[in-house]
Amino acid sequence: LAIYKQGGWMMHILLICSIGTIAVVVYCAIQISPKKLCPRALNDTLVRHLRERDVSTAYALCEANQNCLTRVVSAALLKVNFERDKANKDAMDQAAGEALDQEETRQMLWVNYLNVFATIAPMIGLLGTVTGMIASFDDLKKGATDPNDFAGGIGEAMVTTAGGLIVGIPAMFFYFFFRNRLLGSISEVQKRTSFLIDIVSGEVTLADSTPSAE
């Protein structure tokens, strides 16, 4: 607490950034995972329904279980038309692609907050460094010669710099961690949605309808 107070008012801003970073990390840890975005059991159930071309049941299942996979698949199922070639596969692919882009943007919004904190925190620390050094030079200008007279300003400069890095480094690590996890999950959703569309369009036969679980 004494070190925190030594950093001056800049430490309050860094505290807010640290709380925000922790909150976003917890949210991303809960929401951004393959099991959350693309549950395997639900995917297998959709495969069974679409093998039988039971589009209405599959759509109802998607609406009742909202996640990244079901929102993308339901957008594709709205375009199903068995009277057209390959059940209107081109329209399904386009609808699924648009929905997938929206899902990626929505989830990436939270991940990008980590990048914001990772960028802002060290800059706030640098600002504290500058203000601390300004205070020390101001004391020097007033004729102070004892090293203890400069301790306050220098201490503020060093503490805020360390505080900014303490917040910024973990935030940057978790930004890359969750970004890569999200991109991997989105890729999995795309693969499974494409497989489901192929089943509906008839491009995948019943004998081939075994999606990869990995």
Side-chain angles (χ1 to χ4, degrees):
L1 184 60
I3 295 175
Y4 178 86
K5 291 180 178 179
Q6 186 179 3
W9 64 273
M10 291 288 182
M11 296 299 291
H12 301 317
I13 302 177
L14 290 174
L15 177 61
I16 294 173
C17 289
S18 67
I19 294 173
T21 298
I22 293 171
V24 175
V25 166
V26 171
Y27 175 86
C28 291
I30 295 173
Q31 296 295 328
I32 301 178
S33 69
K35 291 182 179 179
K36 188 77 173 181
L37 298 176
C38 188
R40 177 181 175 182
L42 188 58
N43 176 79
D44 293 342
T45 304
L46 288 172
V47 169
R48 289 198 299 271
H49 289 310
L50 294 180
R51 279 176 176 174
E52 302 170 358
R53 292 199 166 188
D54 189 355
V55 175
S56 59
T57 302
Y59 182 81
L61 181 65
C62 291
E63 291 297 298
N65 299 272
Q66 290 290 305
N67 55 61
C68 182
L69 175 65
T70 56
R71 283 189 286 268
V72 175
V73 173
S74 63
L77 293 180
L78 288 174
K79 300 295 183 177
V80 173
N81 185 349
F82 291 115
E83 296 180 358
R84 303 190 65 177
D85 182 46
K86 295 182 180 180
N88 203 22
K89 183 176 184 296
D90 291 340
M92 283 191 286
D93 285 334
Q94 182 177 355
E98 293 173 354
L100 191 63
D101 287 342
Q102 292 176 356
E103 288 296 315
E104 182 177 359
T105 300
R106 187 168 66 90
Q107 296 296 339
M108 188 60 77
L109 175 66
W110 289 97
V111 177
N112 283 335
Y113 282 133
L114 292 174
N115 191 30
V116 171
F117 290 129
T119 303
I120 289 179
M123 294 181 69
I124 293 173
L126 179 60
L127 180 59
T129 302
V130 172
T131 57
M133 296 305 295
I134 289 175
S136 295
F137 280 114
D138 189 50
D139 291 336
L140 180 63
K141 183 179 179 180
K142 292 178 181 178
T145 57
D146 191 334
N148 291 328
D149 296 333
F150 309 114
I154 295 175
E156 177 182 341
M158 296 299 100
V159 170
T160 53
T161 300
L165 293 175
I166 288 172
V167 176
I169 291 173
M172 183 62 71
F173 168 80
F174 283 112
Y175 165 71
F176 285 111
F177 176 80
F178 286 116
R179 189 192 67 169
N180 291 337
R181 174 184 280 191
L182 176 60
L183 293 177
S185 298
I186 291 295
S187 178
E188 183 67 16
V189 170
Q190 182 180 22
K191 182 177 69 175
R192 296 195 177 197
T193 302
S194 179
F195 184 84
L196 293 170
I197 291 174
D198 287 341
I199 293 176
V200 177
S201 65
E203 291 193 354
V204 173
T205 63
L206 292 177
D208 298 328
S209 299
T210 306
S212 174
E214 299 298 332

